[in-house]
Amino acid sequence: MATTAHRRSQLTREQVAQQKRGTQERSKLKLLVPSVGVFFTPLSLEEAFLFQDGRRRISSRRFVPPSFNDIRLILNSAQLLSLTRNGPIELVTFDGDVTLYDDGESLTDENPVIDKIIRLLRQGTRIGIVTAAGYTNAFRYYERLHGLLDAIADAITDTGVKVENPRLIILGGESNYLFEFDFHAENFLRYVPRETWMLDEMRKWLEEDIQSLLDVAEGALRECINNMQLSAEILRKDRAVGIIPVAGPGRQKFTREQLEETVLVTQQVLEVSSPGKKIPFCAFNGGNDVFVDIGDKSWGVLSCQRYFGGIEGSKTLHVGDQFLSAGANDFKARLACTTAWIASPAETVALLDELQLHSENR
């Protein structure tokens, strides 16, 4: 398998070289996999396989072949190796639920990922939390992230632990609301007006088109509620619309199939609609709800990169749990930067430890 990984590494190096020349359509990888996207860095697949083989004993197994999770973790390691060898990572962005904390929970002070994020901040790495949670006030984000925000504040005031100008932002609603860490602000978060950080392309999105898209999405969601007899209600926000279970005793837990059907129906309706051709959107499965947001994670990550001075995709890592194409809102982040696919908050902690290990050994 190491030999196979070596050959695949050569394909990624050739792909990156062809991209730099603007001739990526001629690459061997593009010919083999026509749907392949952009590579921000080559992938050190052979070394990544040997690293994961030392942990997971893939080559020692007699009856169990390499699994999906084996491949996923090998690709994560390959990406980390390539990033650390091309210089320090300048920006790490994270999804929220299932990435930093369990689904529907909060980032509490005992969460082990907090120390890993503070370590990145001490090293001068910028941090962005790009989440689907769309709140317009700082307190709601403080409720979800108070363990991390309090720990950063404590690190600033602790004379034994110095954090130089920590740069952490929260981009909520995928790409709609930006808050920056501010030690002197209430809840340690300062709202940043949208007009000061929006990308030039985002300024072309007309408000009437945005509301028209949300109207179409709401109609599609209502149709799904009726067709599948869901015990759900519509929740409309200024930049999002979704369905949530009806509150009260016996609150319904939607099945995965119901959630994915709702995502796919709504997405298809929007794709053929007039506003859907003008305004980027993201329809996604939130675990026990379905939402449509204006913009998506690619716009969110690109906005973080611009806010921090124009960081390149090859110097950015996005960590998330939703990369399957159906109803997965981290999927689009691949258009903006390198990515790592994790399956739990514990995997995020392990990933950041591995990142530190490769950084020390580069």
Side-chain angles (χ1 to χ4, degrees):
M1 190 168 176
T3 302
T4 301
H6 175 71
R7 291 171 180 165
R8 300 297 183 268
S9 293
Q10 290 178 320
L11 288 175
T12 66
R13 283 194 290 272
E14 192 245 356
Q15 174 74 15
V16 172
Q18 295 276 21
Q19 286 173 184
K20 290 179 178 178
R21 291 194 293 266
T23 56
Q24 59 267 28
E25 296 300 322
R26 304 177 192 171
S27 73
K28 294 178 183 177
L29 189 57
K30 190 72 172 178
L31 292 173
L32 291 168
V33 187
S35 61
V36 72
V38 173
F39 279 71
F40 291 93
T41 68
L43 295 179
S44 305
L45 291 167
E46 181 180 12
E47 189 173 351
F49 168 75
L50 294 173
F51 178 83
Q52 286 295 339
D53 192 41
R55 295 187 167 193
R56 300 173 69 82
R57 303 301 172 187
I58 302 167
S59 62
S60 301
R61 301 196 302 242
R62 296 177 58 196
F63 300 107
V64 179
S67 68
F68 174 82
N69 283 329
D70 290 329
I71 301 301
R72 178 174 59 81
L73 293 173
I74 289 169
L75 288 169
N76 285 351
S77 292
Q79 190 61 83
L80 295 184
L81 285 162
S82 296
L83 282 168
T84 53
R85 284 182 181 156
N86 289 332
I89 298 177
E90 297 181 14
L91 169 64
V92 180
T93 61
F94 297 92
D95 178 37
D97 288 72
V98 187
T99 300
L100 294 177
Y101 42 82
D102 290 330
D103 190 28
E105 301 299 321
S106 300
L107 188 51
T108 52
D109 54 9
E110 71 275 7
N111 192 314
V113 80
I114 291 173
D115 289 339
K116 317 303 179 184
I117 293 176
I118 290 179
R119 181 173 64 196
L120 289 171
L121 288 169
R122 288 196 191 109
Q123 294 168 350
T125 306
R126 280 81 162 177
I127 300 295
I129 299 175
V130 185
T131 172
Y135 308 134
T136 57
N137 64 82
F139 179 69
R140 296 297 302 277
Y141 287 112
Y142 178 78
E143 285 184 313
R144 300 299 299 272
L145 303 167
H146 62 87
L148 174 61
L149 298 173
D150 289 344
I152 296 173
D154 289 343
I156 291 174
T157 56
D158 187 345
T159 56
V161 183
K162 189 175 182 182
V163 178
E164 292 283 359
N165 189 28
R167 299 301 306 274
L168 178 145
I169 61 176
I170 300 167
L171 200 53
E174 310 287 3
S175 56
N176 288 294
Y177 313 102
L178 195 152
F179 292 82
E180 182 167 19
F181 179 86
D182 186 338
F183 179 73
H184 300 289
E186 187 177 6
N187 302 308
F188 303 123
L189 290 172
R190 173 176 54 84
Y191 176 70
V192 182
R194 189 178 293 145
E195 58 272 12
T196 65
W197 56 265
M198 281 196 305
L199 302 172
D200 292 340
E201 294 88 344
M202 297 168 75
R203 298 180 189 279
K204 300 174 185 177
W205 303 350
L206 300 179
E207 186 63 28
E208 61 185 81
D209 290 331
I210 290 172
Q211 296 307 316
S212 293
L213 184 141
L214 295 177
D215 290 341
V216 174
E218 182 174 336
L221 292 169
R222 290 190 185 280
E223 183 180 343
C224 290
I225 292 174
N226 294 332
N227 290 344
M228 289 187 283
Q229 297 296 296
L230 302 177
S231 179
E233 58 186 354
I234 298 288
L235 178 60
R236 177 81 176 247
K237 302 180 180 181
D238 70 324
R239 289 280 175 127
V241 63
I243 62 169
I244 59 175
V246 173
R251 183 180 181 185
Q252 181 177 0
K253 174 67 177 176
F254 302 133
T255 67
R256 178 179 62 84
E257 291 79 8
Q258 289 172 327
L259 293 166
E260 290 188 1
E261 174 72 9
T262 303
V263 168
L264 292 172
V265 167
T266 305
Q267 184 171 295
Q268 184 180 57
V269 169
L270 287 171
E271 285 175 348
V272 299
S273 70
S274 176
K277 296 174 182 177
K278 301 175 184 177
I279 304 294
F281 66 89
C282 177
F284 65 94
N285 169 2
N288 199 34
D289 55 45
V290 172
F291 268 87
V292 175
D293 283 335
I294 299 301
D296 56 43
K297 285 282 175 77
S298 68
W299 293 98
V301 174
L302 287 168
S303 296
C304 290
Q305 291 169 337
R306 176 180 175 179
Y307 190 76
F308 286 128
I311 297 174
E312 297 178 355
S314 61
K315 299 289 186 180
T316 305
L317 175 68
H318 177 73
V319 183
D321 68 292
Q322 292 200 28
F323 283 96
L324 291 173
S325 56
N329 61 351
D330 290 304
F331 185 77
K332 289 291 186 70
R334 302 186 313 162
L335 300 173
C337 66
T338 69
T339 58
W341 185 350
I342 56 81
S344 68
E347 277 198 11
T348 301
V349 172
L351 180 90
L352 296 180
D353 281 338
E354 184 183 341
L355 174 63
Q356 180 66 19
L357 176 66
H358 295 321
S359 297
E360 292 171 353
N361 293 337
R362 74 168 187 260

